[in-house]
Amino acid sequence: MHSNRNAHRRRRPLLLMALFLVLSIGIAALSINRWQAHTQPDSSARLTARLHDEQVGSALDAQLLRFRTSRQAQVILSDMTLEEKIGQMFIARCPMEDAAQKAADQHLGGYLLFGRDFEGKSRESIIADIQSYQAAASIPLFIGVDEEGGTVNRVSTNPQLRAVPFWSPQELYAEGGFALIRSDTEEKCQLLKSLGINLNFAPVADLSQDPNDFIYAHCFGQDAAMTGTYVADVVEVMKQHQMGSVLKHFPGYGNNPDTHTGIAIDRRSCDAIAEADLLPFRRGIESGATMVLVSHNIVSCMDEERPASLSVPVHTLLRDTLGFDGVIVTDDLDMSGVRDLFPDEDIAVLAIQAGNDLLCCSDFEAQIGHVRSAVERGEISEERIDASVLRTLEAKLSLGIIETE
């Protein structure tokens, strides 16, 4: 789609060099282990050598795959216009009318579907709708939902798609422990993928053991260590099914009020957050989460003026301290947690300047225009746009949304 013969010629020498390097390292590692197995002929030494060979081979395969994915993403990026790049930075609430045409016109990165997009519809009509969006897009779309289970379900509330809505993580764990959570996650992935959905805004990595907290019903309801295990298990199953995962709500929601309806200020110390709230996010990142969603809470110990979603220090924490190199996505930019603080024309611009790669909003046509104007004024560089789009393209390639070469 975005490749040509010259691009293939540019890639071939680099790919050959990378393949030669990978094979050289692999052959050397395998030779050393075979020598060790011969000089230590007991069964335990042979087993150790064989296991090490498999680990080395797996690591080399992963490195080569990542290199090839990155190169293909760079080639796609090199063929994109500025307008296409800006559009890729938006995952929009799916409009009720002309969704396919708007996805094409605005070069959107994806659509986020809500209950209204499934209510009363048959499986066949939902699949046809999603396929029409993908057919219109020049670069395949993220098609996302919030299918957390429990209080937040978009898909399984439709009895034509599932007999009963998915249970909450707390209900699942109480009934069948982590085994039931894993099997439930697998069923979610299968159902969503069968409809054409490739991104689930889950798991919730927040901590709360107080039923009075706003976030309690959404989360696992256990301590940091147990929640970390839950998050890691869910992400690993989603990765096995090539379903995009989203850890939320960074850096941890705490006992703060609902930012859909107002401003929330988190006054906890950074030590308290680091010692508990960050742990499940670390586990999810280590397990290969596709995205991390940043909340609209004002975390005063990190930034007293801006919500986390618009805060440079919060994004620096996620990138530099936690080492996350995937896609950072905002919570919905239509929420009062940001709209009550900043003019509409500034919100998307501030989100990009803070370090977000993907912006979630409903008024995407207006926000895309504001970002384009900011680039023209020199407030956002095209190189900054490129860095985010490259991460998005790499994620789409890794999930099989864009076909790999």
Side-chain angles (χ1 to χ4, degrees), residues 243-367:
M243 175 61 62
S245 56
V246 183
L247 308 179
K248 58 187 187 182
H249 306 79
F250 190 82
Y253 207 92
N255 62 352
N256 296 288
D258 184 3
T259 52
H260 288 84
T261 57
I263 297 168
I265 301 177
D266 189 336
R267 301 190 186 280
R268 293 175 297 163
S269 71
C270 285
D271 285 344
I273 293 171
E275 290 169 4
D277 294 70
L278 296 187
L279 298 182
F281 288 96
R282 286 186 185 275
R283 291 294 305 278
I285 291 168
E286 290 167 357
S287 298
T290 311
M291 301 186 187
V292 174
L293 180 146
V294 184
S295 79
H296 294 322
N297 294 342
I298 296 175
V299 185
S300 59
C301 71
M302 301 178 191
D303 190 330
E304 294 183 342
E305 297 181 354
R306 293 186 178 181
S309 54
L310 308 182
S311 168
V312 172
V314 172
H315 288 75
T316 300
L317 172 70
L318 179 54
R319 288 287 187 214
D320 296 350
T321 303
L322 272 66
F324 182 63
D325 60 1
V327 175
I328 301 178
V329 58
T330 68
D331 208 343
D332 192 339
L333 294 177
D334 291 326
M335 291 162 59
S336 295
V338 288
R339 292 280 174 163
D340 289 353
L341 291 170
F342 298 98
D344 288 356
E345 62 269 20
D346 292 345
I347 291 174
V349 175
L350 291 171
I352 294 172
Q353 290 173 336
N356 294 286
D357 302 307
L358 197 60
L359 280 54
C360 179
C361 66
S362 297
D363 61 337
F364 58 93
E365 291 163 301
Q367 294 299 335

Side-chain angles (χ1 to χ4, degrees), residues 129-318:
D129 286 344
I130 292 173
Q131 287 178 344
S132 72
Y133 309 153
Q134 294 288 23
S138 57
I139 294 176
L141 301 161
F142 286 124
I143 302 293
V145 293
D146 292 287
E147 196 73 11
E148 299 173 7
T151 58
V152 179
N153 284 307
R154 313 301 189 195
V155 178
S156 60
T157 51
N158 181 341
Q160 298 184 65
L161 302 176
R162 194 173 191 266
V164 294
F166 285 109
W167 288 5
S168 73
Q170 295 180 32
E171 292 169 327
L172 291 168
Y173 184 72
E175 179 71 18
F178 287 117
L180 186 56
I181 284 171
R182 287 190 291 269
S183 64
D184 175 84
T185 303
E186 186 168 0
E187 185 189 346
K188 273 196 190 85
C189 292
Q190 291 169 347
L191 173 58
L192 299 184
K193 292 204 76 170
S194 74
L195 299 172
I197 297 164
N198 49 45
L199 181 67
N200 188 9
F201 278 64
V204 175
D206 301 306
L207 300 178
S208 173
Q209 294 177 277
D210 183 349
N212 295 315
D213 290 345
F214 163 73
I215 204 66
Y216 176 77
H218 300 260
C219 67
F220 188 52
Q222 301 290 331
D223 63 18
M226 291 282 284
T227 301
T229 300
Y230 158 72
V231 168
D233 278 6
V234 171
V235 169
E236 287 166 6
V237 173
M238 294 176 74
K239 189 174 181 180
Q240 290 167 8
H241 288 268
Q242 279 196 307
M243 175 61 62
S245 56
V246 183
L247 308 179
K248 58 187 187 182
H249 306 79
F250 190 82
Y253 207 92
N255 62 352
N256 296 288
D258 184 3
T259 52
H260 288 84
T261 57
I263 297 168
I265 301 177
D266 189 336
R267 301 190 186 280
R268 293 175 297 163
S269 71
C270 285
D271 285 344
I273 293 171
E275 290 169 4
D277 294 70
L278 296 187
L279 298 182
F281 288 96
R282 286 186 185 275
R283 291 294 305 278
I285 291 168
E286 290 167 357
S287 298
T290 311
M291 301 186 187
V292 174
L293 180 146
V294 184
S295 79
H296 294 322
N297 294 342
I298 296 175
V299 185
S300 59
C301 71
M302 301 178 191
D303 190 330
E304 294 183 342
E305 297 181 354
R306 293 186 178 181
S309 54
L310 308 182
S311 168
V312 172
V314 172
H315 288 75
T316 300
L317 172 70
L318 179 54

